[in-house]
Amino acid sequence: MAKRTLKQIAPFLVLAAIALAAIFVTPATDFADTGVYSPADIAWVIVAATLVFLMTPGLAFFYGGMVHRKNVISTMMKSVVAAGVVSVLWVFVGYSLCFGEDIGGFIGNPSTHLFFKDVNSGEPWVGAPTIPKTLFSVFQLMFAIITPGLVVGAVAERIRFTSYILFIALFSILVYAPLAHWSWHPEGFLFKMGALDFAGGTVVHISAGCAALAGALVLKRRKAHIEHREIPPANIPYVLIGTGLLWFGWFGFNAGSALGANALAVSAFATTNTAAAAGGLGWMFFDVVRGKKPSVVGFCIGAVVGLVAITPAAGFVAIPQSIFIGLVAAIISNIAIYYKQKSSLDDTLDVFPCHGIGGMAGMLMTGIFATKAVNAAGNDGWFYGNSAFFFTQLKAMAISAGYSFVVSYAIFKFINFILPLRVTAEEEEIGLDASQHNEKYMQGTLLVTNNGTIHEEEVID
C-alpha cells in the first residue's frame, strides 16, 4: 500500500474534527411559532431552495458537455463537490460569517451562529419574517454552493482536484461570505450605501467571474490552448440539458429571493424567463450577423448570460425592460469572448466574459431600469430620473469586482505555494478523468467489425 502524506489525509482529518466537535453542540428547542409564519411562504421558499440546488448538477452538465471528453467527469465533479464542502462549512461557520452579528459592516461574527447556534431556535431573519430562520439559511446555502462551482469553467482541464477542494473552502470564507454580508445584511456597507442586488449579481456572478479570471491567470494556459488546438465539445446534448436545468432552477434563484409567495416573486419569475429568452435569441442572432450559423451552444450560452444579467435586477425592474437587459448583456458578453479569443487568456469556458461581465452589465442596468413601481423597497434608476442611483451601483460593482479578483488571486497563489495547483503535463495529456479520478466519461468495450470478423475493442478517450 502506498504511503500517505499529511497533505493527502488532511481533508479527512479536518472533516472528522468538525464532525466530532458537532456532536457536543447542545440541541435547542425550535422557535415558538406564534402565528408569525406563513405556510404559503414556507412552501414556496422550500421549493425555491430545491430549484436552486438543482442548478448545481445543471451547471455540471453545462460545463461537462463543453470540455474535451477526457475531462468531462473531472469538470462535472468539481462543480458538484461544492455541495459537500460548502454545506458542511455553512453549518459550521459560513452562515454566521454572512448573516451573523455585524462586525464593522464587513463580516458577520463567526461565533453568532457557530454550528447553527440560535438558528432553529431564533426569531426569523429580519428580511424574511414569515419563514423560519433555518429555512432562510438553507435557501442562502444553495447560493453559496453554486458560486465556487461557477469558477470551475475557467480552470477546467488543468487544475488538480484536491487543490480545488481547498479553493472552494477558502473562497467561501474569504470572498463569498464578505460579499454576502456587504450586500444582504442590513448592516453591510454596500447595503447601507443603497446598492441593490436582488439575487446575487455581485455576490454570486461578479465574485465567481472575477475569481475565474484570477484562476486563469495563475494557472496559465493549457498546452492545447498554446498550440491553438480546437477542442470540440464532448457532448452538446449535455450542454442543452444543463441549460434547461439552470433555466428551470433560476426561477427559484430569482423568484425565491422575494422570500415569500407574493406578487414580487411572480414579477421576478417573469423577468427571469424573459431575460433568458432575449439573451438566448440575442446571442444566436448576433452570431448570424457576424457570419456564423445559429448554434445550440450559442443559444444556450446566451440564455445563461441573460439569466446572469437579470439576477441583480429581477425584483427591481419591470418585465418589458428585462428584454433589453437580456439582449444587451448577451451582445456584450459575445463581443467580450471574441476579444478574449484573440488574447492569451485561457479562460476555458469563458466564465469571466459570461458571468463576470454579464453580472457587471446586470448591476449597471439595475441602476438604469430599477423602479419603485415594481418594488417600493428598491429605488428609481437613471432611466426614471435618478442618476445618483446608477453611480451607487457602479461603485458597488467596482468594489465587489476588485475585492473578488484580488483576494481570489491571493487564494490561488497561496494554494499553489502549499500544494501543486496544476496537474503535470503528462496528467493533462492523459486527461483529468483518468489522472485525478481513475474514471472515464466513455469506458468499457465495443464490438468492432473488421474484414468480416468481429472483435472487442476497449473504448479509448
Side-chain angles (χ1 to χ4, degrees), residues 10-184:
F12 176 79
L13 294 177
V14 171
L15 176 61
I18 293 173
L20 286 172
I23 67 176
F24 295 102
V25 177
T26 304
T29 305
D30 283 354
F31 174 73
D33 178 4
T34 56
V36 298
Y37 294 154
S38 163
D41 290 349
I42 291 174
W44 165 235
V45 178
I46 287 175
V47 170
T50 306
L51 289 171
V52 180
F53 181 82
L54 187 64
M55 294 172 68
T56 294
L59 180 70
F61 274 104
F62 184 74
Y63 281 168
M66 287 196 283
V67 295
H68 193 285
R69 61 180 180 173
K70 65 185 179 182
N71 296 308
V72 171
I73 293 172
S74 68
T75 301
M76 297 178 79
M77 181 57 180
K78 288 185 182 77
S79 288
V80 173
V81 76
V85 177
V86 179
S87 292
V88 173
L89 276 178
W90 191 253
V91 172
F92 173 46
V93 75
Y95 175 70
S96 195
L97 291 173
C98 294
F99 297 100
E101 182 182 344
D102 176 67
I103 299 177
F106 183 80
I107 196 70
N109 187 330
S111 67
T112 304
H113 299 299
L114 189 69
F115 282 111
F116 257 32
K117 182 181 70 173
D118 298 330
V119 174
N120 66 309
S121 61
E123 296 182 0
W125 174 250
V126 64
T130 60
I131 63 174
K133 185 179 286 184
T134 304
L135 178 54
F136 170 76
S137 174
V138 170
F139 179 69
Q140 291 296 335
L141 165 62
M142 302 309 161
F143 289 71
I145 286 172
I146 197 171
T147 305
L150 293 170
V151 183
V152 172
V155 296
E157 303 191 324
R158 61 200 189 280
I159 192 168
R160 194 176 296 274
F161 180 71
T162 50
S163 298
Y164 198 78
I165 293 285
L166 181 56
F167 168 79
I168 291 172
L170 294 177
F171 174 88
S172 298
I173 292 171
L174 300 178
V175 178
Y176 183 88
L179 282 173
H181 188 83
W182 301 352
S183 301
W184 292 333

Side-chain angles (χ1 to χ4, degrees), residues 177-458:
L179 282 173
H181 188 83
W182 301 352
S183 301
W184 292 333
H185 194 289
E187 297 300 319
F189 82 91
L190 291 184
F191 187 97
K192 294 176 78 172
M193 184 195 299
L196 297 179
D197 182 2
F198 190 72
T202 55
V203 182
V204 176
H205 298 291
I206 291 177
S207 71
C210 292
L213 176 62
L217 290 172
V218 173
L219 278 160
K220 299 184 170 51
R221 302 166 70 185
R222 292 163 294 158
K223 182 180 179 182
H225 190 267
I226 294 171
E227 296 173 353
H228 302 287
R229 276 190 270 155
E230 184 178 355
I231 299 177
N235 193 323
I236 291 177
Y238 272 16
V239 179
L240 188 58
I241 291 169
T243 303
L245 292 172
L246 286 168
W247 195 328
F248 181 61
W250 227 293
F251 293 131
F253 201 83
N254 288 352
S257 292
L259 297 172
N262 50 40
L264 182 59
V266 175
S267 179
F269 190 107
T271 56
T272 299
N273 185 69
T274 307
L281 292 174
W283 191 290
M284 185 172 63
F285 293 158
F286 189 66
D287 275 351
V288 173
V289 170
R290 294 174 53 207
K292 296 183 176 181
K293 291 184 179 180
S295 72
V296 172
V297 172
F299 179 84
C300 290
I301 294 173
V304 170
V305 171
L307 290 163
V308 168
I310 200 62
T311 293
F316 300 118
V317 303
I319 297 166
Q321 283 71 38
S322 64
I323 300 174
F324 184 86
I325 291 173
L327 173 62
V328 170
I331 293 172
I332 291 172
S333 291
N334 190 304
I335 294 171
I337 289 176
Y338 172 77
Y339 284 106
K340 188 226 76 169
Q341 289 172 341
K342 291 181 174 294
S343 73
S344 60
L345 177 65
D346 187 10
D347 178 344
T348 311
L349 302 179
D350 302 318
V351 179
F352 177 67
C354 293
H355 290 273
I357 293 178
M360 293 177 195
M363 278 294 288
L364 295 182
M365 284 190 278
T366 304
I368 296 172
F369 296 113
T371 171
K372 290 183 178 180
V374 171
N375 188 342
N379 211 333
D380 288 324
W382 199 346
F383 197 73
Y384 303 102
N386 185 8
S387 59
F389 175 59
F390 172 82
F391 290 102
T392 297
Q393 292 293 98
L394 177 62
K395 185 160 43 170
M397 181 206 77
I399 291 170
S400 301
Y403 178 85
S404 301
F405 176 79
V406 171
V407 177
S408 297
Y409 190 90
I411 289 172
F412 278 114
K413 281 289 191 180
F414 171 74
I415 294 171
N416 199 38
F417 178 73
I418 63 172
L419 291 171
L421 187 63
R422 182 167 176 160
V423 298
T424 65
E426 182 182 4
E427 289 171 331
E428 183 179 338
E429 191 63 33
I430 294 170
L432 273 62
D433 289 359
S435 67
Q436 299 292 292
H437 305 288
N438 196 29
E439 295 173 321
K440 291 183 179 180
Y441 165 58
M442 295 180 67
Q443 54 189 336
T445 58
L446 292 174
L447 293 178
V448 180
T449 61
N450 184 20
N451 295 328
T453 62
I454 299 177
H455 65 281
E456 198 173 29
E457 282 188 8
E458 183 180 358

